[in-house]
Amino acid sequence: MKIAKQKKIKSSEDGLLVKNILAKQMGFSRREISRSHVSGSIYLNDVKCRLTQEVHTNDIVTVRTEEPILESKPIILYEDTDIVVVNKPAGIPSHASAEHFDDDMGSILKRYYQDDAFTVRTVGRLDKGVSGIVVYAKTKQMAALLASACEEQLLHKEYLAIVKGKFEEKWGKLIYTLGKEKGIRGRSVTADGQKCITNYEVITEGNFFSLIKVHIETGRLHQIRAGMAYFGHPLIGDRLYGGSMHAMKRPALHCWKVEFIHPKTKKQISIECELPTDMQKVVDKLQETITTA
């Protein structure tokens, strides 16, 4: 587990309870404290502790987490009065859920703007383990306009993925149907599923992996991950769909480019985002093998 936050107790804090230190001195919300307590990730002098334990001078209070440390300031790629576009790191959900009610990107943005009444609405979500560009609307009206643009394919996204093996055809269009089968995690290709159209283009290929560019014409859950696995090219790091965990520990998928016409200003918006470090390292190794072959 990684250290999320750590604090050494001052003499003026001697005798306070752990929960007071977490809330007042370390800035954790009640929900965050509760979640950390339930998961057993609060430590006093490297020993798991109760919230009601007293702390003393020079004690060390530590909160550990298996999640990536959340940046206090999101990486904003574009912003105006109606829209904010961010680079979402892998490991952070795009939106809140029962399991992630305040550590998702929407909540990070809310804290960044310091406005409890402010609510951003995600337009086209990325899976928790996927990195890259996510578009958020700042108003209900803009959310509806951008959602309509998505349905009409006026919001164009491109992904970069590292997948297993080589392709016989260096570019192509994959058409298949995805559905949910009972007893099987994730999505599967089924006769009565939702239609998926996935376009790919090989950028670089080695003996074992290929870097491809992907554009989807339909936005289905796990469309790229499940579809590539079905056609024999699972994303590396994608445990759910049989991808090798040797080179990466999360799906090697990154939304690197988004283009759309601004619903209000009618201007063309084009945003790009470079590969994250973990994927770039794999690509570098891939290129090294090509050079030395």
Side-chain angles (χ1 to χ4, degrees):
M1 298 180 78
K2 299 178 181 179
I3 294 176
K5 279 190 178 182
Q6 193 172 66
K7 176 176 172 55
K8 186 175 183 179
I9 302 304
K10 301 176 182 177
S11 58
S12 59
E13 298 163 341
D14 191 290
L16 293 177
L17 302 183
V18 169
K19 63 180 181 181
N20 299 132
I21 296 296
L22 293 172
K24 296 180 180 179
Q25 273 68 35
M26 298 178 72
F28 285 98
S29 68
R30 285 188 296 176
R31 284 182 174 178
E32 289 171 327
I33 294 171
S34 176
R35 185 178 61 220
S36 298
H37 176 60
V38 170
S39 65
S41 56
I42 302 172
Y43 293 76
L44 180 59
N45 300 323
D46 291 326
V47 177
K48 288 184 180 180
C49 65
R50 302 185 306 276
L51 293 175
T52 53
Q53 281 185 235
E54 287 188 1
V55 299
H56 301 288
T57 305
N58 295 326
D59 280 351
I60 303 293
V61 176
T62 304
V63 177
R64 299 180 182 274
T65 178
E66 293 182 353
E67 301 294 332
I69 299 173
L70 300 182
E71 299 291 343
S72 58
K73 183 176 180 180
I75 305 171
I76 296 177
L77 305 174
Y78 170 84
E79 182 177 17
D80 59 35
T81 56
D82 299 290
I83 297 170
V84 57
V85 181
V86 303
N87 177 9
K88 184 188 83 67
I92 296 178
S94 298
H95 58 94
S97 65
E99 295 81 16
H100 299 277
F101 42 76
D102 60 2
D103 62 351
D104 61 287
M105 184 54 68
S107 296
I108 293 172
L109 283 168
K110 186 174 181 178
R111 288 193 290 272
Y112 170 70
Y113 289 113
Q114 298 182 345
D115 185 353
D116 291 336
F118 180 78
T119 302
V120 291
R121 297 160 178 83
T122 179
V123 181
R125 302 166 180 175
L126 294 182
D127 293 339
K128 177 183 172 183
V130 176
S131 60
I133 302 172
V134 183
V135 180
Y136 289 87
K138 293 182 178 180
T139 66
K140 287 183 178 180
Q141 180 190 27
M142 183 53 62
L145 291 172
L146 288 173
S148 178
C150 288
E151 291 178 2
E152 297 174 16
Q153 298 185 31
L154 300 178
L155 192 150
H156 178 90
K157 287 186 178 182
E158 287 188 4
Y159 298 81
L160 291 171
I162 306 172
V163 301
K164 178 183 176 181
K166 293 184 176 182
F167 290 77
E168 291 185 7
E169 302 291 337
K170 303 312 177 187
W171 61 272
K173 182 189 294 284
L174 306 177
I175 301 175
Y176 48 100
T177 53
L178 285 181
K180 178 66 175 174
E181 293 186 272
K182 187 176 181 180
I184 298 179
R185 292 183 61 207
R187 291 297 186 269
S188 304
V189 173
T190 58
D192 58 348
Q194 293 179 307
K195 184 177 180 180
C196 300
I197 302 176
T198 301
N199 300 280
Y200 74 90
E201 178 185 350
V202 176
I203 305 300
T204 307
E205 62 180 13
N207 294 328
F208 304 104
F209 303 139
S210 295
L211 173 67
I212 63 173
K213 184 164 62 177
V214 182
H215 164 58
I216 54 177
E217 296 182 27
T218 52
R220 311 302 185 193
L221 180 65
H222 292 186
Q223 177 172 330
I224 298 173
R225 296 170 60 188
M228 285 298 162
Y230 175 76
F231 287 98
H233 301 286
L235 275 63
I236 67 169
D238 196 347
R239 184 193 302 271
L240 182 59
Y241 293 103
S244 168
M245 301 291 289
H246 176 70
M248 286 185 61
K249 303 302 181 184
R250 58 99 173 178
L253 184 62
H254 177 73
C255 182
W256 81 281
K257 185 175 184 179
V258 170
E259 293 182 328
F260 60 94
I261 301 296
H262 196 293
K264 282 191 175 180
T265 66
K266 306 305 179 184
K267 292 182 179 180
Q268 173 78 26
I269 305 295
S270 182
I271 303 159
E272 296 183 6
C273 177
E274 63 184 15
L275 278 175
T277 303
D278 58 352
M279 286 184 66
Q280 188 60 56
K281 286 181 179 179
V282 178
V283 172
D284 290 342
K285 289 181 180 179
L286 180 63
Q287 292 173 336
E288 284 176 10
T289 61
I290 296 171
T291 303
T292 57

